[in-house]
Amino acid sequence: MQSTAQNTNFRSRLELKLLYLCSPLLKGIKPSCLITLSPQEASFLSGIFKQTGISLLRLSVTEERVVFLLYRKPMLDKLLRKRRHIFFLYKYGYRYFSTDAVLERLARRYFRYESGLQPFPHELGILLGYPLFDVLGYLRYHGKYSLLNGYWQVYHRPKTAKRKFRRYDRLRYLAVTEYKNGATMQEICSIK
């Protein structure tokens, strides 16, 4: 059994990992983030995000890893009111477009993907906040011929995406700096 000091050290390393990988979500400019953790890391997740406005959806569990979608429900609500996103999701069998209904269907589709019963649910890109034209480009070109690679593969408007990538990088630096200066995850995740 781990000591309290070991747990605290492990949790601090995990929080830094989350800050590094999910800062745009944590700072409130991205609706969601997909993250893969060890089962031990996953056991700390709900405590870390308590009272932050970040929700957790477990998409997959194995002995080696746990896949989560971390999200801000109000941001997903807004994203799922866009007509172009509704039409796109409809093509993938979505018929109900409340955030809860979409996440429930996504979880089923992700499970079927993990079971080898269907291809990866690329509509996840929409929920991650990727531009629709980039998701469509990825599907059309099977992940090849992108104009820019960064937080996602860009097929349309690379200058706009590059600016967004730089903003994400600045948010990562800001979040890690705040954490190293003593801010809690709740403080870092508060939207100002």
Side-chain angles (χ1 to χ4, degrees):
M1 194 159 164
Q2 288 189 340
S3 71
T4 304
Q6 287 174 317
N7 276 341
T8 301
N9 190 28
F10 183 84
R11 181 179 168 136
S12 293
R13 286 193 318 272
L14 174 58
E15 287 175 346
L16 278 169
K17 177 180 180 176
L18 293 166
L19 290 167
Y20 186 78
L21 296 174
C22 302
S23 290
L25 164 71
L26 304 182
K27 296 306 274 178
I29 66 163
K30 194 169 180 291
S32 67
C33 177
L34 189 68
I35 190 161
T36 302
L37 302 172
S38 71
Q40 184 183 11
E41 290 171 324
S43 70
F44 283 83
L45 210 55
S46 62
I48 288 172
F49 287 113
K50 189 174 186 173
Q51 298 177 339
T52 62
I54 308 283
S55 299
L56 317 172
L57 175 64
R58 189 173 39 225
L59 293 174
S60 172
V61 179
T62 68
E63 287 183 19
E64 299 84 33
R65 63 183 177 81
V66 184
V67 178
F68 284 95
L69 182 72
L70 310 177
Y71 64 96
R72 289 186 180 271
K73 190 173 187 303
M75 292 182 80
L76 284 182
D77 290 343
K78 183 178 178 182
L79 191 122
L80 291 170
R81 284 194 295 269
K82 294 183 177 180
R83 187 178 306 257
R84 63 183 181 266
H85 293 152
I86 290 171
F87 287 141
F88 179 78
L89 291 170
Y90 189 84
K91 289 187 219 176
Y92 286 90
Y94 290 78
R95 296 299 179 261
Y96 304 99
F97 301 100
S98 71
T99 298
D100 292 337
V102 168
L103 291 176
E104 183 181 314
R105 174 133 177 97
L106 173 68
R108 284 195 311 268
R109 287 179 50 79
Y110 198 92
F111 176 79
R112 291 180 56 79
Y113 156 71
E114 287 278 314
S115 302
L117 300 173
Q118 73 177 50
F120 185 82
H122 289 289
E123 68 272 18
L124 180 58
I126 297 297
L127 302 178
L128 292 170
Y130 303 164
L132 179 58
F133 283 115
D134 291 334
V135 174
L136 293 170
Y138 185 90
L139 291 168
R140 180 177 182 186
Y141 298 111
H142 307 285
K144 299 177 184 173
Y145 315 116
S146 61
L147 303 172
L148 178 68
N149 290 315
Y151 286 84
W152 66 85
Q153 287 181 258
V154 178
Y155 292 87
H156 184 257
R157 301 180 68 191
K159 288 180 183 177
T160 301
K162 191 179 267 189
R163 280 193 303 274
K164 189 170 269 192
F165 293 168
R166 282 195 302 265
R167 184 174 185 206
Y168 286 2
D169 289 342
R170 285 191 304 270
L171 287 173
R172 175 185 294 156
Y173 177 79
L174 174 63
V176 170
T177 301
E178 288 174 343
Y179 185 78
K180 288 184 175 181
N181 288 332
T184 65
M185 289 295 279
Q186 288 75 20
E187 292 167 336
I188 292 167
C189 293
S190 69
I191 300 175
K192 297 171 176 94

